[in-house]
Amino acid sequence: MTHVQTIPSSGPLRLAAVDLGSNSFHLLIVEADNGHFTELEKCSKKVQLAAGLDDHGQLDENVMARALKCLESFGTIIDEHRVDRLRVVGTNALRTAANSIDFVIRAEQCLGQRIETISGREEARLIYQGASTAWQEDTSHCLVADIGGGSTELIVGTGTRPLALESLEMGCVAYTRRFFESGDITEATMHSAEQAALLELANITAHYRRLGWQRAIGTSGTIKAAAATLRAMQPHLKKGEITREGLAELRQKLIDLGHLDHVSMAGLKSNRARVFPAGVAILSAIFKALNLEHMQHTNGALRDGVLLDLLSRDTRHDVRHTTLSDMQRQYQVDVQHAEYVSATALRLFDQPEVSRGLDETSRQLLEQAAMVHEIGLGVAHNRYHQHGSYLLAHSDMAGFSLPDQLALAWLVQAHRRQLPDPPPEHRAALPSDVLVHLARLLRLAVVLCRARDPSSDWQPALHTEEQGLVLTFPEPVPELLRQDLALEQQWQQRAGLPLSINTP
């Protein structure tokens, strides 16, 4: 399989994406070269994380052990292919599990790779990006639906650009537990599941219908299975096609089977049988709410979108740049000053002693925080660092994982006044000591740029001394800057962070 995509590459790269879904874990490995993806390896395993959630929202040990065993096998395959870049994303089950942190720590050790838990709307964006590889030259409106184990994503977009993104709390594993726990498949149980799904859909139906679409596309396992079983029942259908009439017939056939233990149909894999009726109920509700007559399954999905996003990282196509630029514009950030602070912070970071042991991820996070450190001024001047932190922690930020947002929000809160306690290491993109170090660099850059005059370029030297930082100026500095630096020295020392300032 070869996917055409629009991100240029400098040469062949082996990329891998792992999608830790609530129902299945997926691995996709491709070679990217000259604008094409060539598939090298693709596998999926039913893990059913969502089915392992108890009444208190805890993942049980058995399901975690099953998941880790799956990841060990994925790790072996990744090593065999000598992958250049890998990205691992977690979805609904990891967003909602009370003890997801425990699993993530063990899974990261298993894979040797950071796991990024993404928001529902970020999941929807990546799904659309992956699906749209099939029609990126077509600019007509398209509806994309993806029924997962714990959530369902619905997107309306044009070409490769999503116009509306939503992630709803309804999935085939979660609904199986909720409505089919006894195993019985009856008109009543199907109706109850459909009604619950219709209630979830009610908040977006009017908006989506106003946007409109010329075709409806479905991705991932539930919709693929529905299309396969329908074609076995109605051979005249095109491959991947689902019709309203066919879906109604499929629904009735499941009711006739009567019990989850009896679900066995041509085109349906046995490991999906028990969650299939709930998936069909959700799909039926989507057809009803959005008045669909037919839907076409496509192979592009979340993992494909993750790969495209991974390839675009650190290029002009990186969606994170667009996200931050949009937020700067929305909250009227002084972009010229933000760039001044960013350049100063990076100049401090790039001094050899200062950045020893830190990677490009740390440098990027420092740059991003500098670009939006004043975003809270768009709310109010008083405590604007706290307002900015709240905005960054609670906004839908395309391209950013939830740990990325948490780390970015903390840095913005920490850029002035009292240094707050850093988030626990396992809840942020970087360890706490690295975040504190980056906060110190950002604070110094803000002080050095306080006059908002890029022509005043002090270029001090910065080096480390045990736990402390030493800032040395080659020439005398104005009295106001000297006082500002002395105040910053007090703030950092109050937090137990020694800072020495040497001026002629």
Side-chain angles (χ1 to χ4, degrees):
M1 177 194 70
T2 299
H3 284 318
V4 176
Q5 50 86 32
T6 58
I7 307 300
S9 58
S10 57
L13 282 174
R14 291 201 171 184
L15 309 176
V18 178
D19 159 19
L20 307 182
S22 301
N23 187 38
S24 302
F25 285 5
H26 305 278
L27 167 66
L28 177 61
I29 302 176
V30 303
E31 184 168 86
D33 188 19
N34 293 324
H36 291 80
F37 279 170
T38 302
E39 184 180 299
L40 301 178
E41 187 87 35
K42 184 176 183 179
C43 59
S44 299
K45 293 192 177 182
K46 291 285 182 296
V47 174
Q48 294 194 326
L49 273 185
L53 290 169
D54 63 21
D55 293 337
H56 302 288
Q58 300 271 345
L59 288 168
D60 68 43
E61 187 58 38
N62 288 334
V63 75
M64 286 198 286
R66 187 165 69 236
L68 293 171
K69 185 177 180 181
C70 171
L71 293 181
E72 286 177 2
S73 67
F74 281 4
T76 300
I77 296 170
I78 291 166
D79 289 342
E80 288 173 351
H81 282 279
R82 297 184 180 181
V83 166
D84 297 303
R85 297 185 195 171
L86 167 65
R87 189 178 180 200
V88 186
V89 299
T91 59
N92 185 267
L94 293 185
R95 287 195 292 269
T96 58
N99 61 337
S100 65
I101 298 303
D102 299 333
F103 170 74
V104 166
I105 291 172
R106 293 163 67 183
E108 288 180 339
Q109 292 171 345
C110 184
L111 278 176
Q113 176 71 22
R114 185 168 73 94
I115 293 172
E116 302 176 52
T117 303
I118 56 176
S119 70
R121 287 190 175 176
E122 175 65 1
E123 182 180 354
R125 183 189 73 84
L126 291 170
I127 287 169
Y128 186 83
Q129 187 166 321
S132 66
T133 57
W135 66 79
Q136 53 186 313
E137 300 302 325
D138 188 341
T139 57
S140 59
H141 283 201
C142 180
L143 170 73
V144 175
D146 184 307
I147 300 171
S151 64
T152 292
E153 282 66 48
L154 288 159
I155 311 100
V156 173
T158 174
T160 59
R161 183 169 65 92
L163 302 173
L165 299 161
E166 195 54 76
S167 179
L168 303 175
E169 292 293 317
M170 54 186 195
C172 61
V173 176
Y175 268 37
T176 297
R177 292 188 61 187
R178 181 176 171 188
F179 298 104
F180 299 93
E181 189 171 14
S182 69
D184 294 330
I185 310 170
T186 65
E187 175 61 39
T189 55
M190 289 295 284
H191 179 74
S192 295
E194 289 161 357
Q195 287 300 114
L198 286 169
L199 284 174
E200 289 286 336
L201 289 158
N203 288 328
I204 69 167
T205 300
H207 176 49
Y208 275 44
R209 284 185 172 181
R210 279 195 299 270
L211 287 172
W213 53 85
Q214 281 68 56
R215 62 190 184 285
I217 301 295
T219 70
S220 296
T222 290
I223 294 174
K224 182 179 181 180
T229 53
L230 275 180
R231 194 167 191 227
M233 292 165 54
Q234 302 178 356
H236 65 278
L237 290 177
K238 294 187 299 182
K239 183 179 180 181
E241 184 180 8
I242 301 171
T243 64
R244 180 190 286 263
E245 294 80 8
L247 189 58
E249 182 180 341
L250 177 58
R251 177 187 185 278
Q252 186 58 51
K253 184 174 179 63
L254 289 168
I255 292 173
D256 293 341
L257 290 172
H259 198 278
L260 297 183
D261 292 340
H262 302 154
V263 177
S264 177
M265 307 170 69
L268 179 65
K269 294 179 180 179
S270 59
N271 61 4
R272 182 169 290 277
R274 292 189 67 83
V275 299
F276 189 55
V280 169
I282 294 170
L283 185 56
S284 298
I286 291 172
F287 264 69
K288 183 175 181 179
L290 300 177
N291 197 27
L292 301 180
E293 292 298 329
H294 56 82
M295 177 180 284
Q296 181 67 39
H297 173 262
T298 188
N299 286 321
L302 174 60
R303 54 191 173 273
D304 302 84
V306 169
L307 286 177
L308 281 168
D309 211 53
L310 179 60
L311 189 59
S312 71
R313 288 285 169 100
D314 309 322
T315 74
R316 62 186 179 86
H317 301 277
D318 192 334
V319 70
R320 295 174 299 177
H321 298 330
T322 304
T323 295
L324 294 181
S325 294
D326 288 346
M327 294 186 78
Q328 285 178 324
R329 189 160 46 249
Q330 181 179 0
Y331 294 102
Q332 301 179 329
V333 171
D334 183 340
V335 176
Q336 183 178 11
H337 181 63
E339 290 175 346
Y340 177 30
V341 173
S342 176
T344 303
L346 293 180
R347 191 161 59 239
L348 294 174
F349 180 94
D350 289 338
Q351 297 187 40
E353 280 189 34
V354 177
S355 58
R356 184 177 296 124
L358 301 181
D359 58 13
E360 185 60 25
T361 299
S362 302
R363 191 178 191 277
Q364 287 177 354
L365 184 61
L366 177 61
E367 180 181 18
Q368 291 162 352
M371 293 304 292
V372 291
H373 75 281
E374 289 188 335
I375 195 172
L377 288 171
V379 177
H381 190 277
N382 186 34
R383 295 183 296 180
Y384 74 84
H385 55 303
Q386 295 178 10
H387 301 317
S389 178
Y390 182 89
L391 290 173
L392 292 165
H394 296 91
S395 295
D396 287 316
M397 296 180 64
F400 288 87
S401 68
L402 295 175
D404 289 338
Q405 285 188 229
L406 181 65
L408 189 60
W410 183 83
L411 280 177
V412 167
Q413 182 181 0
H415 90 267
R416 67 192 291 264
R417 306 265 182 199
Q418 182 176 341
L419 265 163
D421 291 331
E425 179 177 336
H426 53 250
R427 293 183 58 217
L430 294 170
S432 297
D433 59 336
V434 175
L435 285 175
V436 170
H437 185 63
L438 296 181
R440 302 182 76 185
L441 301 182
L442 179 59
R443 293 173 69 96
L444 289 174
V446 168
V447 172
L448 292 170
C449 299
R450 190 89 75 197
R452 309 181 85 90
D453 180 11
S455 65
S456 302
D457 196 355
W458 305 108
Q459 296 199 15
L462 184 66
H463 68 274
T464 58
E465 194 173 85
E466 295 183 355
Q467 295 299 313
L469 293 177
V470 180
L471 192 68
T472 303
F473 289 83
E475 57 187 43
V477 298
E479 181 60 27
L480 285 177
L481 177 57
R482 187 188 299 271
Q483 293 178 13
D484 216 359
L485 287 166
L487 182 59
E488 176 57 28
Q489 185 180 40
Q490 293 175 22
W491 281 117
Q492 294 206 22
Q493 289 178 340
R494 190 178 299 175
L497 302 169
L499 173 64
S500 299
I501 298 171
N502 298 327
T503 59

